[in-house]
């Protein structure tokens, strides 16, 4: 039997770096949402052991793949709490990659989170959502978010999650300039003296939540990692300039880059931007796509 699941991309609508910890990880205050654009995973339980296949050349298929690591972590934990269970613990996961790799869109983390959730359900839900999120954190700091579901506010390194008011919808145009960014390099180069304060955005989020109103993120877009990534990868400056030409309602780099997203309240303007960007991208690996904000975290198909 083959089970299929959708594995969405995420964007960071704002991201403030608030401090550097002793282990050199950074504490954040970030608002994230999933998009209705993503990868497709299929789970084949007839395989012995864990195996992964992926149709993207830059994604490893060995035990370093985040899906492989997620499945192994799950089965190890499962066999510890159910040592006498007779159910066969093997799976082959096929990944149909649509989310660009190293793009700030959380592709690998999303795949890992969906794998943990699908396996948990398949094996009788032995782990709570909290336990799965803790397991996910061992794989990457964005994994708990994908298990929690969005939109959500994340603090700490990304593990303290709070549900946020629903977001005012926008048409989202995402542009991946064909450049993979090394997340650790971007974080290492953050100058904490230059990162912005979080108060204004926090008030806006709490206000919307308190009034039960949808949150308009247009005026809140901010990413402390954007100037850092632009210094290391100057080609990103041109990406912002090109997208700004479409006069979107908002424009930002997501995560540690390299993708940018533009928000449009006008669907026609979004379509035009999408069409022109698709026609003019001369970078062979560049990608443009249109999406909407997604709610919730049940991605089983
Ligand atoms: C940029 C974001 O996507 C924003 O949501 C995340 O903070 C990063 O998520 P990610 O790519 O899954 O990154 P991880 O695999 O967790 O970490 C990669 C590397 O980035 C750095 N890192 C990551 C997260 C964090 N809060 N502080 C860090 O300093 C660490 O050097 C870490 O070794
Ligand atoms: N299942 C997977 N999907 C994508 N990349 C994976 C996967 N497993 C391992 N990787 C590796 O992880 C690295 C980062 O890929 P990913 O696409 O998740 O980055 P990202 O979108 O920049 O992440 P983030 O937004 O969380 O910073 C790549 O080098 C890739 O080879």
């Amino acid at each position: 039997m083959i089970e299929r699941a959708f594995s969405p991309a995420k964007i960071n609508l704002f991201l403030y770096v608030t401090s550097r910890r002793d282990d050199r990880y950074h504490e954040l205050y970030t608002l994230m949402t999933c998009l209705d654009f993503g990868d497709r995973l299929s789970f084949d339980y007839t395989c012995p052991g864990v195996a992964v296949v992926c149709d993207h050349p830059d994604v490893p298929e060995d035990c370093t793949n985040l899906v492989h690591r997620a499945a192994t972590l799950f089965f190890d934990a499962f066999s510890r709490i159910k040592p006498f269970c007779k159910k066969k613990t093997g799976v082959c996961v096929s990944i149909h990659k649509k989310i660009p790799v190293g793009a700030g869109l959380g592709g690998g983390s999303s795949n890992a989170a969906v794998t943990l959730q699908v396996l948990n359900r398949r094996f009788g839900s032995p782990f709570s959502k909290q336990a799965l999120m803790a397991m996910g954190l061992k794989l990457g700091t964005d994994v708990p978010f994908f298990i929690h579901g969005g939109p959500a506010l994340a603090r700490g390194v990304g593990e303290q999650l709070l549900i946020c008011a629903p977001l005012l919808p926008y048409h989202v145009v995402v542009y991946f300039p064909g450049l993979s960014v090394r997340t650790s390099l971007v974080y290492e180069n953050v100058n904490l003296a230059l990162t912005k304060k979080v108060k204004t955005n926090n008030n806006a989020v709490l206000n919307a939540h308190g009034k039960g109103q949808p949150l308009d993120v247009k005026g809140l877009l901010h990413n402390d990692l954007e100037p850092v990534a632009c210094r290391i990868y100057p080609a990103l400056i041109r990406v912002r300039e090109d997208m700004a030409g479409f006069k979107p309602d908002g424009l930002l780099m997501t995560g540690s880059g390299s993708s940018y997203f533009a928000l449009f309240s006008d669907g026609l303007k979004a379509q035009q931007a999408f069409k022109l960007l698709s026609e003019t991208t001369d970078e062979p690996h560049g990608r443009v796509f249109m999406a909407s904000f997604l709610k919730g975290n049940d991605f089983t198909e």
Side-chain angles (χ1 to χ4, degrees):
M1 178 218 163
I2 306 277
E3 194 175 351
R4 294 179 205 286
F6 174 63
S7 181
K10 62 86 184 162
I11 50 175
N12 300 80
L13 295 161
F14 59 74
L15 188 159
Y16 294 88
V17 180
T18 55
S19 63
R20 182 174 284 128
R21 300 194 320 193
D22 290 344
D23 62 3
R24 304 200 61 76
Y25 268 75
H26 294 75
E27 304 240 317
L28 309 175
Y29 176 56
T30 180
L31 175 63
M32 289 192 268
T33 182
C34 289
L35 299 177
D36 64 352
F37 172 88
D39 300 337
R40 308 262 156 193
L41 304 189
S42 51
F43 297 80
D44 177 353
Y45 299 103
T46 57
C47 303
V50 174
V52 174
V53 288
C54 182
D55 57 4
H56 192 296
D58 298 339
V59 175
E61 292 180 325
D62 60 10
C63 60
T64 62
N65 189 294
L66 284 160
V67 166
H68 198 293
R69 291 180 58 205
T72 306
L73 201 62
F74 178 86
F75 288 135
D76 284 354
F78 182 73
S79 60
R80 269 198 304 278
I81 61 163
K82 304 253 186 217
F84 304 111
C85 180
K86 292 272 182 300
K87 210 162 179 173
K88 234 177 67 206
T89 56
V91 69
C92 175
V93 188
S94 304
I95 308 170
H96 176 41
K97 261 280 153 217
K98 292 206 134 187
I99 306 174
V101 175
L105 296 163
S109 307
S110 172
N111 295 171
V114 170
T115 300
L116 289 176
Q117 285 169 299
V118 166
L119 292 181
N120 194 44
R121 200 168 322 173
R122 165 85 184 175
F123 286 83
S125 301
F127 299 106
S128 66
K129 191 167 167 175
Q130 287 303 325
L132 282 188
M133 283 164 60
M135 225 183 268
L137 187 61
K138 294 183 185 153
L139 303 167
T141 47
D142 282 336
V143 181
F145 160 74
F146 284 105
I147 296 171
H148 180 276
L153 280 163
R155 287 185 187 273
V157 293
E159 82 290 5
Q160 298 164 29
L161 287 151
L162 261 185
I163 273 186
C164 168
L167 306 181
L168 195 73
Y170 278 99
H171 303 274
V172 189
V173 177
V174 181
Y175 178 48
F176 168 65
L179 176 116
S180 284
V181 158
R182 198 144 59 82
T183 304
S184 56
L185 184 66
V186 175
Y187 273 111
E188 273 162 29
N189 282 281
V190 168
N191 178 347
L192 285 166
L194 298 180
T195 60
K196 297 262 167 56
K197 298 286 167 272
V198 300
K199 263 213 179 80
T200 332
N201 277 13
N202 196 29
N203 290 345
V205 172
L206 292 180
N207 232 342
H209 205 88
K211 290 185 181 154
Q213 285 173 347
L215 176 67
D216 188 352
V217 294
K218 185 175 65 184
L220 306 179
L221 301 184
H222 173 81
N223 188 346
D224 277 338
L225 299 178
E226 184 179 347
V228 186
C230 286
R231 259 199 326 274
I232 305 171
Y233 305 95
L236 294 178
I237 300 168
R238 177 75 195 277
V239 174
R240 174 177 260 284
E241 285 169 3
D242 285 353
M243 288 187 83
F246 298 109
K247 305 259 179 300
D249 297 290
L251 173 62
L252 193 69
M253 187 188 86
T254 176
S256 52
S258 60
S259 302
Y260 272 77
F261 63 90
L263 303 181
F264 293 91
S265 49
D266 181 339
L268 268 178
K269 270 179 78 178
Q271 282 284 357
Q272 277 166 357
F274 169 72
K275 195 164 169 281
L276 272 167
L277 271 170
S278 310
E279 283 167 5
T280 53
T281 176
D282 48 5
E283 163 56 51
H285 303 295
R287 292 279 313 279
V288 190
F289 56 86
M290 279 194 73
S292 309
F293 300 151
L294 192 74
K295 227 179 117 204
N297 75 329
D298 186 354
F299 309 128
T300 316
E301 293 191 318

